[in-house]
Amino acid sequence: MNVTEIRVVDCVPFENYPFKIQDNSDMEMLIDSIKESGVLIPMVVRPKGKEYEILSGHRRIYACKMAGIDKVPAIIRELSRDEAVIFMVDSNLHREGLLPSEKGFAYKMKLEAMKHQGRTSAQVGQKLWSVEQVASDAGESKTQIQRFIRLTNLIPELLDMVDE
């Protein structure tokens, strides 16, 4: 994988990105770190016309904009939409403090992408259905994944109450 520098202005958020970028003390620390040391971990993007769609690094791009940084290190990956969804979700679910709604929308996106691909996974000689694979990947139960996904059907006011 080659790391190249791309312009911050050429980076666009992933369509329907399910995670919130919060302007809080963690973000302030990230901004300060980038001002002091630059971006240490390359972003992962995919070409989208003349721009790059962010797969991993939404918070870093926001911090770079706040810090006045013009270019960032990036790994450019050629992925289909469904492959990009799965990569984006998997690379963000490890973060601490994710809201229930963020998990719900992320799991739903990944599940839909896997279904588009007709993916099941052979694991220990046994085929898993997509929802079971999402659960296995996330270290959650199938039932818990389904609960998170059901949250996506709530009206915004109720979803905000769940997140709070």
Side-chain angles (χ1 to χ4, degrees):
M1 286 186 275
N2 292 333
V3 177
T4 187
E5 285 216 332
I6 60 175
R7 297 180 332 148
V8 170
V9 296
D10 292 337
C11 297
V12 296
F14 196 88
E15 185 181 350
N16 298 319
Y17 184 67
F19 305 99
K20 297 175 182 170
I21 297 173
Q22 298 182 5
D23 220 350
N24 55 21
S25 60
D26 287 343
M27 180 56 70
E28 287 300 319
M29 288 189 330
L30 180 58
I31 293 168
D32 291 342
S33 171
I34 286 175
K35 283 180 182 176
E36 186 176 310
S37 306
V39 177
L40 302 176
I41 300 171
M43 303 182 34
V44 179
V45 297
R46 74 179 187 139
K48 188 174 183 179
K50 294 183 179 185
E51 299 174 314
Y52 296 99
E53 186 173 43
I54 305 166
L55 303 179
S56 173
H58 289 80
R59 294 180 72 246
R60 281 169 276 168
I61 279 292
Y62 179 83
C64 285
K65 288 177 182 176
M66 305 285 32
I69 304 292
D70 295 333
K71 291 187 176 187
V72 292
I75 297 168
I76 301 170
R77 306 252 334 244
E78 294 285 342
L79 299 173
S80 70
R81 168 79 178 149
D82 291 331
E83 290 169 332
V85 166
I86 292 166
F87 181 90
M88 181 271 303
V89 169
D90 286 347
S91 65
N92 281 282
L93 279 175
H94 69 279
R95 293 188 354 225
E96 290 182 24
L98 290 178
L99 300 172
S101 65
E102 292 174 320
K103 287 184 178 184
F105 284 107
Y107 292 146
K108 183 177 182 178
M109 285 178 78
K110 182 176 179 177
L111 184 59
E112 288 172 0
M114 290 175 74
K115 286 180 179 178
H116 290 158
Q117 293 180 330
R119 270 176 65 177
T120 58
S121 175
Q123 197 173 58
V124 194
Q126 173 186 10
K127 285 225 171 197
L128 299 177
W129 295 103
S130 296
V131 71
E132 292 169 326
Q133 183 62 49
V134 171
S136 174
D137 291 348
E140 302 268 9
S141 71
K142 174 183 163 187
T143 305
Q144 188 66 12
I145 296 297
Q146 291 168 328
R147 286 182 187 131
F148 278 119
I149 291 173
R150 275 196 299 262
L151 292 175
T152 66
N153 296 318
L154 293 175
I155 61 171
E157 295 81 10
L158 288 176
L159 193 55
D160 288 343
M161 291 171 72
V162 169
D163 283 343
E164 291 172 13

